[in-house]
Each structure stands twice: as C-alpha cells, then as structure tokens.
Amino acid sequence: MSELMALRPVLVGGEKAAGDVTSDVAAPTERKATWKWWAAFIPAAAMLAVGALATGYQVMTGIGTWGLNRTIGWAFDITNFVFWVGIGHAGTLISAVLFLFRQKWRTSVNRSAEAMTLFAVMCAGIFPLIHMGRPWLAFWVLPYPNTRGSLWVNFRSPLLWDVFAISVYFAVSAIFWYVGLVPDLATLRDRASGLRRRVLGFLSLGWNGSIRTWSRYEIVYLLLAGLATPLVLSVHSIVSFDFATSVIPGWHTTIFPPYFVAGAIFSGMAMVLCLMLIARTVMGLEHYFTLRHIDAMCKLILATSGMVGFAYLTEIFTAFYSGNPYEQFAFVNRALGPMGWAYWVMVSCNVLIPQVFWFPAARRNLLLVFTVTIFVNVGMWFERFVIIVSSLHRDYLPSSWSSYAPTLIEIATLVGSFGLFFSLFLIFCRFLPMIAMAEIKGVLKVGREGGLHG
Amino acid sequence: MTEKSYWKSLAERDDRGELEASEFAEPLEPAGAGTDRRTFLRAAGFTIGAAALAGCRQSSVEKAIPYLLTPEGIVPGRAYWMASTCAGCEAACGVLVKCRDGRPIKLEGNPGHPVSRGGLCAVGQASVLEPYDSMRLKAPRGGGRESTWEKVDREIGMKLNEIRDGKGRVRILTTTRSGRATRGVIERFLAGFANGELVVYDPVSCSAILAAHEITHGRRLLPRYRFDRADTVVGLDADFLGTWISPVEYTNAYTSRRRLAGTDGTMSWHAQFEARMTITGGKADNRFVTHPDDVPLVLEGIAERLGLREPSRRRPPVRIRQADIDLVASKLDSARGRALLVCGTNDLTAQLLANEINHHLGSYGATIDISRPSRQKEGSEEGLERLVGEIREGSVDALFVAGCNPAYDLPGSARLSADLRTIPLLVSLSSHIDETAGLAQYVCPEPHFLETWSDHEPVSGVLAVGQPAISPLGSTRSAIESFAVWSGDPRNGLEIIRDELAVAMGTDPAGAWHETLAAGYREADPAETATTWRGAGSLARRPDDPAETSLSLVVYPSVGMLDGRHAHNPWLHELPDPVTKVTWGNCASFSPATAARLGIEEGRVVTISAGEAAAELPAHIQPGQHDGVVAVAAGYGRLGTERFALTGPEWLFRRRLQPDGSPVGVRMGEFQVSNAGSANWVAGGIRVSKTGRMEPIAMTQSHHSLSVPAHLDTTGGRRRPIIQETSFAAWKENPGAGEPESHHIDADLWAPHPYEGHRWGMAIDLSACTGCSGCVIACQAENNVPVVGKDEVLRQREMHWLRIDRYYAEGEDGGVDMVHQPMLCAHCENAPCESVCPVVATVHSEEGLNQQVYNRCVGTRYCANNCPYKTRRFNWFDYPREDRLQNLVLNPDVAVRSRGVMEKCSMCVQRIELGKMEAKRIGANVADGEIATACEQSCPARAIVFGDLNDPGSRVAKAAADPRYYVVLGELNVRPAVGYLRVVRNRKEDEHQEETHV
C-alpha cells in the first residue's frame, strides 16, 4: 500500500472520523458567534453601510457624483462589475469542472467556493444596476410583454446578453449550491431541535438519507455540474463581448473571450485561496483545507497567470501586426501614457508576482501565498480598469481625449461591494456548513489504508 | 295514482320544505337593507368631514382666458417670426426673431439683410437669453432705491431745468449708436442746453481708422471693407472674422471669395500678421507672427516695396523678415484693384500708412467703400479724454451714460469712479447695476433690444429697425424714449422712429414702413457726400522704432465676451473660446517658448503688472503666439458675475471655483494705454511673476492633445486623417488632392438601409468654417442645451451638442496652422451606438437620422462609449436652471432632458418635421434649403449645408459628390451622414498636400 499512499496523498488531515467531520463542520453553526466572527463581521457590515449610503446618495443625485465624463462613460462601475463576475468564476470551476474531472480534493473547498461565487455575482449584479442613469427603470432591460406597443429589448446589445448570462449563471450556481447543501442541512436538522429543527427540516426538503434519495441526489448533482460547466466559459465570454463587439481601440479585439475566462479563473482562484486561508485560520479548519489544497490552487493560479500574460503579449502583438494606428496607439498609450502606471500595476501583479509559485517552497509558505493572492486580486481589478478606462480616455479624436479620477462616492461603492461580499460570506460561515460534510466523508480515507481508489 | 315526485338528493326527499327555503344560498335581499341609525351617522360624519376638509384647501384662482381678438398671425403653439436688428454689438446684424406664444425663443440671421446676409454670431445667438435675465433692473432707481418713472423723471427734469438755466454742461456718453432716429432724439435733447455734447467711445476702439480717414479723405469715417471683392487680403492685427467691427458681414464676404465648390475655381489669398492666434489667423494662407509694436514697421516695409516711400536706411528690425514683407507686397501689387489691406492697430501712423497703401493699390472704390461707409464704430478717444478731463475738474453738471460702462471699461477706474460720484447729476441707462450704475444717482434701465423699438444704420444708407418681440418684462424705457421725455416731448419709441425715418420712406410712408418692418431694414440714401483722396500730407511719417520691451500685454475682445457687455449671459461664459477652448473666465496666454523661458506651466497663477495695474491670472500655453506677448481676454471681471459662482448642479463635492463675491475672470481695463489719442490694448514693458498658486482652467479641449505624443507614436509621425488639407495649387490639378491612403471596404455583411424617402445628411466645408462658434450657441438655443457651470466643464461634462474641435499643425516656416472642425452626431448609417443600447433607446429612422428616445433611455452610457466621435452627452445631474425666468427661452418643440438620459444632436428633427408638414400642407415636396438646421442657419460662412442626400439636386448631395468630400474615420465603415470638405489653403507649395492634422 505504500506505493498507493505515495500516489494518493491524504485529502483530509488529522485522522478524522465521519463523526468528527460532522461535529467540526456543524460546530460553528450551532454555537454562539465567536468574538473572532464579530471582529470580522462588524468591519464588513460597516463597509457595506458606507457603500449603501454612497449608492443611495448617488441614485438620488445622479451619476455625476462619479468621476465619469463625456469621454469616459464607464470606469469604476463596470470595472467592479467585471471584477466581481470574475471572482465569481472560481466557485463554479471548483464545484462543477473539478467535479466532472473527479478531482476529489475539491470536496473541502467547493461549498465555500460556491457560496463565494453567489456572493460575488450578487456584488457584480449591483453595478450594472446602479451604473444606470435611471436605475429605477432597470427592469426595462428584461424582455417582458408590455403595453408600450410591445416595446422589446435590443437583442443585438451585448449588455442584454450580459443580463441573460449573469442571471442564468446566478440561477444555476444558486441551485447547484443549494442542491449540494441539502444533505448537510439534513445532517444539521438531525442534530437540532425546536424551531431550528423545523426551519432546517423545511430547508432540507425532506431529506431522508435513503439510498434512493442519495442516488437521485448524485444524478441531479452530476447533471447540474454538467449544466454549470459551459457557464464557466460562457459568462465571462459574454461579459467580454461588451468590449469586443465595440469599435473602440483596445476593446475591439477577438482575443477577449478566452482572455477574460482565463483572467476570471485566475482572479477567482486567488480570491478562493485568500478566503480559505483566512477561514482556515479563523475557523480552525486546518485539517480540511490542507497544504495540498493550497498547493493545487497555487498551481492553477500559476497556470492562469501564464495564460493572462500570454494574452497581454498577444494583444500587443496583434496591435503591432494589424498596422492599425489607432489600435497601436491604444496599446502604446496603455503602457506609456498617462495611465501607464495602472498598466504596470496590472502586469506586475498578474504576471510577474505569481511566478514565485514555480517554487514548491513558495506554495507552502502561507503568508507568501496569502500576499500573492492579494496582489493577484489587485492586479485583476486593475486589468479591468486598464481595459475600460485607458482604452476610453484616448480614442479616435484627440479633441475628446480626457482623463479620469474616481470620486469618493465611487470609491465608497467599491468598498461597499467588498462589505457586502464579506458580510454575506461571514453570515454564510455562521449559519451554514462551510464544508460539504457529506462529500468530505467520502474522501476521508483517500490516501489512507483502505481508502477509496477513486 | 299519486303524482311521481323526482328528487335530486336524499336530503331533498326527506325534508322537502326546508330545502325549498334555502334554494338560494344567500338571501336575495341583503340583510338589514334599511340603513340603521348608526350607519347613517357614520356615513354622514365621514361625508361632512371630508367635505369640510376639502373646503379648507386654499386653491388659487386660475384664469385661462383665450384670445378674444386673436392678434394677427398668432396661432397658439405655432412660431411666428419678426424681422429685427441685433444689438449685441454695434455691427447691428439683421435678425429674424422666432417667437412662440408671445415670447422670443430664438434669433436667426436675416437672409435678406444687405449687411449680415443671413448669418449670426455666437453673441447674437446668445442675446435671446438676455431678456430673461432676472438680475436685470425691473424699475428705475433713484437715490439707491427702486423708484417710479414719474418720480425719477420729475427729479431729473428739475435738475435739468436748473442746469439749463445755469447754462451748465450736459454730456451724454454712449458707445456707437448708429441709428438716425436715435441720433435725432439725442441731438434734440442736447440742443435744449447751451452746452450739451454727445461723447461716443467704443471700448474696443477703431478711432485711429476714423481719424486717418479724416486726414486722407477729409471726413471722419469708417470705410466699409468689401472682402467679397478682394482677391488678396492682408490683415494686420485685425481679427476681422472673429470680433473686429463687423465679423458676420466680413466672414460672409471673405468666404464668398474662398468657396471652391460651384465657382470658377478662384480663391483669394490671405496673409495675416498677428501676435496672438486668432480665428482669422487660423484661416490665413500665410500667417506671420508679428509683435503688435511691429505692425507699423510692416506697413512701412510694404509701402517701401510698393514704391510709396523711400527705402529706409534703417536696419529692418530683426523681428520681421524682409522676405515675408516682399511676398505680401508683391501679392498686393499684382492684385491692384482687387487687393485689400486691413489694419486693426489703433494707431494713427499705422492707419495712415494703411490708407496710403490701399489708395496706391486702388482699393478705394473697389474693395473699400467710402461712399457708403460703415457706421459701426464712431467712437473717439479725444472726446472721451476731454470728457474725463471735464469730469475731473468738476465742470460737468449732468452726465447720461447709455450703453456703456466707463467705470469698468476705462483705466484708472478707481479715480474715475470717485470723480463720477462728484457729478451733480449722473444718470445711467444700464439694465443692470453695473460698475457705473452703482455710482449714479439715477438708473433709468433700458429694455433689452428684443423688448423695444430701436434703429441702427450699420452701413450708411441701410436703415435697420429693431422691433419688440415681447412686452418689456420690467418697467424699463428705451434711451430714445427717456431722452424724448427729458426733452419735454414724450413719445413712444415706435412714433419716434417712424417720424424720424419718415424722410427716408418716400411717397408712401405707411406702406414703406410696413415693408421696412417686414424686411427689417430699408435702403436709403447715404447721409454722407462723396469724398476724394487728399493724401496724408505732412502727417505721413515714419513709425517710431518699437520700444525694446521684454514682454507686451495684448488685451483682446474674446468671441463670447467682447468688451464685457454680455457678462451676464451664461451661454457665452460657457462657450469655449474658438482658439483657447477656455470657458468661464480669462487666462494669460503665453507662447510655449516664453512659458518655458519663464518656467510657467499651464494653470500656474501669474501676476501681470504694468505701472499701477496688476492682475492675477492662470497661465495658458498657446501655440502660434508671439514670444514677446502675453494675451488676455477682455470683458471679464464684471460686477454682477458673482452670481455665477455656484452655477451648475448642486452636490456633495461641487467645487466653488470663484472665491466668495468675486466675479468671473479678471478685469483688464487698467492695462489700457492711451497712445497719441487712441486707446490701445497693447501695453509694453509688463512684468510677469509667478505665484505659488495653481488655478484650474476650464477648457473643453485639452491642449495636450495637439498630436499623438511623440513617445506614444508608432506611425513615424503620421497624423490621423481627421482633418484633411490640401493646397490650392494641388486642388486645381486634382480636386481630390489631399486624400490620404484610404482603407477599402470590400463587402458588408448586412444589406444597407433602404432610405426610400428622404435621407438627411450634412456637409461641412472646413475650408469655409472659421470656428466662430455661432453654430454652437444656435444649437444651444434651439435644443435647450443646459449650462453646466465651471466645475462641470472642468470635469469635462459640457453639454454642447455641437462642439468645434480645434487642431494645430505645423504650418509654413515653422509656423502654426490652426483648423476648426465642427463635430456633431454623424448620424451614422451603421451607428455603433444603435447596436449596443439594451433598451432600443437610440434607433435609426427611415430617413437616416439616428434618433435618441429620451423616455426610453435608462442611461447605461454604452452608446457614448461606443461613439467614435464622442458626440453623445449624458445628463449627469438634473441641471438646475437657477434663473427660473430663463426657462422662458426654452424651445417648446424640444424636450428638456431629465437626469440619467443620454442626449445628442438630433439634426434639429423638430425643424425637419415642421418642414415636412409644411410641404405636405401645400402639397409639394420639401425643397432643398427649405429646412435648415439651427447650426446651418446661423453660419455666417455658409460652411454648413444640410439637406436630402437622396435628392441628387440638393446642395448636400452635390457636396457629397465633391472630390473634396470626406468622412471622418471612414475606415470604421460606420458610414456617417455628416461629411466634411477638405481644407484648402491658397499655397502654391505642394509640400502640404498630404498634410493631415492632429
């Protein structure tokens, strides 16, 4: 068996038995919130409040409270949108794609990664809503039968495709996440009493743990994974169409769909890893999020960083090779123009810094890994900022060239989106099982004597 | 046998009777149908209470009374037009006033007017806003308080009687008032006094031209320059397309000789000597950057070359190149009888030289008309200086100030103001409490020219009448009425003008008067008799050597503000200067070399001082300017413009950019110098010092965008073909010259739009466009474009639907060429904005218009991002229209946009629809030219042509077929409906053939 052991390292540390898993995972939801939780939640809620106030003010006063101008119609709003959508990619990737590829190690991270996806998509969804000049009419982007001479939406508009892509992605992710939650909710129900038991009983949809239930559950889960997998590719491809179908130099490029998907996975992984590292420490789940997980995710980050870097080079080459002076200028200006600093922040955070993950020692140094994930997130935010703002600020007619600086209101909306994200995530940690108990019990023995072979 | 009983249920069989009773589930009669006492009281209590409460509301009594007798021609909801005369400046262009429901909402050039010929400048266009200025005086003032006309007239009359008895001095100070009737009333008033005198001055003076003609032609006159007859034009410090004397008239005449389409292919040649970049210099074929002090030397050099003077033994100043003078002189010489030299320097020596040269070239009688001279400037600084002297010694007993503002205009204003206070009777006829009116015992406000009768004579023999388009909004009285009252002969303005002009009306005065009102003017015999050349005689002298000064200050009237008389007009404050693109204030322009030498950067506040005068202004770096000159716009720093400190949307981070109580911009009046009896706006020997402060300059086009910065350039210095230019010589060989290597479009994926009926389009002749910006304000007035204020302009959120892009390029001999390009929604056939809007708020019409549906717009701004021309404007806020009265100027045919929606040029769709309806009504097709967009109508240069591209005979279709026609960014295949005609400069050299600008 020693060969097998070498081939299949343990997925869960600490010699856990199934009962230990249940009590470990259920504990945070059954005890009172710890001071650590409050210490994390209060700042998050405060950030959310700041963002909510700023957004309220902006909706009441006008988009003029942002730093946009006649040349730059989008900046923080759509940057934040694309950033959060990107963050939202890792969850589905980990849950669905890795599930289909039978990557057992995913079991301990998939639940929180999925939750993160949902919260990130919620954060993302806010921005297209509030970036509208008249957000109270946002429902006009939905194709619904109406009395305005049956005035329909514009199916040619990539913004409309966004509406569909994001809402489908959110719906499928939410269902996928919830279906995965059902057995664990039932476990919690069985441990609970009183009102809590009744609520959990309702939420666990009458789960009875029979073989038939399990069998159907597995099939539904597999089908949903199959449904969700193409969405990993489609959502960010469609988001990238916002730019790719336009005529603006720096936007109008066919490389965007794969480039955006790679970037999304890259940033999503970084965000999952970042949160896992925090949760691992704060919630005491070291045995579940093992160094092996961290190692695997670091490798994914390294791989996607390479893809993103390749995309950056391809863009420059394409611009050079196209012979289109506007296109060439857009890229030279991006790197060397007045907003060049943002470009170099992006390149260093996304391409240069992740290269440390070539070294196994770096992948095991948790502090280093944490720092790199932060850099990657900063870098990926700047990637969207660079694509959006530095392409817009100097396009065809030099007479309309302009510059951009965010107002405090805009910064507050970004802060608020982080507040929303962390608040939701902390509420999730507090009330729902962070780890898929049912699934992880299946891999407890992996790498151990008598463990599974799959 | 008993009868069979059929039952439906067991219950029925068993208990028949009971069921019958309950056949109906509920009783048919509701229980308790009769109202009981309690219910009644409840209902009664509610009803009485509700009625009582409803009765408590105090509602205003509203009256809506239709016209019992409808005024002739007025149909509610339909516009009607009146011919009138613009009094925005002394040029007195003919206007048509568009009125709706009794109020003027738009001014347009009067196409039949013999002087202005249908164009209108930015100031004229913006004048329509001014009657609705709530800060205008609504009643006369006496002793610093609001008063009544009876009281004021009584008191002024009593004082005048005392003066009359005591044979005191009565003076009237005005700017040029050319109307014969106005003159007559003033003269009659002054005739009532033993010592009465009219003193006329112009803040931007041309007195030296008048004085020079007094010497050379024996009569003090301002000739009428006929640019339409000149093949060779030489301008010296005369911004005749921008602000000099009569720019609308001159622009029309000048471009008529430079129009290549549909002519025999001639083009005038224009050389300009100037110190600062002006729109006139921008149009010139050769532009020579010349220090203003050197202009007389240039004239002398030309005179020498023409053999008018002995060649000077003097070494030519280093600052002027002999080759330039030789070129200009030979060009002038070869165009005798068709040449015109105009000089704007207010210096007698220079003007005498100019007259000599023009006389030598045979310009008098050909390109210069002195038989029907211009009367647009009549001011004299000699008279003014004499008056100031009299005021100083306290010998003026009564001074009436009408239409001018000496305490602001003239240097030494502190002392002058103190002296003015000592005048026993100082009456201001200002419509605002301005610098002078604040000193006056009585302010007798004049109405706006759209509220009253007025007359003008811009050119001798052209009697232009201004008629009221609205009842005065306040209790105001025109100058002629006031002077008539004070002469003891109270008549209303209409009577005065009709009576005074009766002589000119011929045999049928009533009919002639009606014709005059319908046309807006009447041609009559000139008042003057012909004069002949007398020569300059002994007064012709050599110009002095210019003093060696490090830096000179040039104060210039800006296109929007002129001398400051329109300082209360927010449209003009927000109008970008055509050259500097600066709004909301003035700044000190330095040439790039001088700025570098002094270590001054854009926005650095500098102190400019000369003698006792000093001004602090932010610095602006201006290409094409003389290194020895600092240029500052006049007309700013006016009292009352503190009101604009908070113009714009109100929000948390709104910046207050004018310190409390300070006006817009800085007054430059103190820098005016008197030079041998002529007011001069060039001050030598100024000192410039840097301060530690920076002040943002609100520019709509950043000056950093002159070209693709070298370190970002990948094309080896190739320019973007946004502006295309060629030389006249190249054009003659090949009318398509100057076309850059173009991208060919092989195939389209989609079928083109069918455009079965009309297809609206526009062509703009960049060779004709001067950048005067009349179209910008015309569009603003027509389309209810809001004013956003300085802070918002600094945030680059100006709302103008039509902007004028200004580009510089390397000109000849290291000079700078300037080109203007009006940029508006191009109404693309394959519009990038249309495909990206998620809610179909911007759509393509069957007639080729790109239409913005405000009601449907949710404001994603995607369309604006995707617009390659960046012509879309977003309502970032609900723009406050603080001056509620100004809302009366809104065009009822155009929606006022709320916040959160996108807007842009609609090609005046309201005018198109009106034109189509009108054509349908009379059962005809829309004739070409029948529908004119606001910008097209206003353009003095006739550079803009709008029409139906589907009509092969239309002007726009012809323009689109012109080899000079090109579309901007054609390679994107957006197929814009707005195209441009290439710039052609009259240069022989072919080296500029391929030149394009950035």
Side-chain angles (χ1 to χ4, degrees), chain A residues 57-74 77 131-138 140-141 144 146 148 151-160 241-243 245-248 251 323 325-326 328-330 332-333 336-338 392 394-403 407-409, chain B residues 650-653 699-702 704-705 707-709 711-715 718 720-722 743 792 795-798 803 805-807 821 823 832 834-840 854-862 864-870 872-878 898-901 968-969 971-972 974 998:
Chain A
Y57 178 70
Q58 173 243 314
V59 169
M60 275 165 32
T61 315
I63 303 291
T65 54
W66 291 353
L68 305 172
N69 57 45
R70 53 160 160 72
T71 307
I72 300 166
W74 291 342
D77 46 0
H131 100 296
M132 287 185 189
R134 304 198 290 173
W136 50 93
L137 299 175
W140 282 358
V141 302
Y144 63 99
N146 59 65
R148 297 181 193 91
L151 183 51
W152 218 234
V153 289
N154 183 5
F155 287 102
R156 295 189 296 165
S157 168
L159 271 191
L160 191 75
F241 291 164
D242 284 350
F243 310 107
T245 61
S246 79
V247 300
I248 302 300
W251 284 14
Y326 300 109
Q328 290 175 353
F329 174 76
V332 178
N333 179 57
L336 304 174
L392 280 177
R394 287 179 164 185
D395 65 345
Y396 292 104
L397 302 192
S399 64
S400 290
W401 287 4
S402 171
S403 60
T407 63
L408 285 178
I409 302 287
Chain B
E650 191 177 334
W651 66 291
L652 201 56
F653 301 124
M699 283 187 284
T700 56
Q701 186 180 340
S702 129
H704 301 294
S705 60
S707 60
V708 173
H711 70 288
L712 305 176
D713 186 31
T714 57
T715 60
R718 218 169 73 210
R720 296 184 171 185
I722 293 160
H743 301 246
E792 289 294 293
R795 294 173 194 270
Q796 290 174 309
R797 293 173 183 166
E798 72 278 1
R803 64 171 197 264
D805 288 347
R806 176 267 293 127
Y807 297 103
Q821 182 176 43
M823 187 51 75
E834 286 168 16
S835 62
V836 298
C837 176
V839 293
V840 222
Y854 308 128
N855 281 353
R856 179 64 172 170
C857 179
V858 296
T860 67
R861 302 182 298 288
Y862 196 177
N865 287 338
N866 208 24
C867 175
Y869 308 102
K870 292 285 175 279
R872 288 179 157 259
R873 297 287 178 260
F874 187 66
N875 284 274
W876 302 102
F877 295 99
D878 255 330
S898 66
R899 86 165 161 92
V901 305
V968 174
L969 302 174
E971 62 268 36
L972 296 178
V974 294
V998 158

Side-chain angles (χ1 to χ4, degrees), chain B residues 5-13 16:
Chain B
S5 67
Y6 292 92
W7 37 271
K8 291 185 296 233
S9 66
L10 288 172
E12 188 184 348
R13 188 191 61 179
R16 191 155 286 211

Side-chain angles (χ1 to χ4, degrees), chain B residues 208-223 225 309 348-360 364 368 370 530-541:
Chain B
I209 300 178
L210 291 120
H213 283 87
E214 194 165 21
I215 293 164
T216 59
H217 290 80
R219 213 179 63 230
R220 192 179 153 75
L221 59 79
L222 179 68
Y225 298 107
R309 295 283 171 91
L348 186 62
T349 312
Q351 293 298 343
L352 285 171
L353 270 165
N355 287 6
E356 276 190 88
I357 294 168
N358 275 323
H359 176 68
H360 175 77
Y364 285 102
I368 299 177
I370 49 170
T531 59
T532 50
W533 174 256
R534 299 179 181 187
S538 60
L539 284 160
R541 59 183 190 87

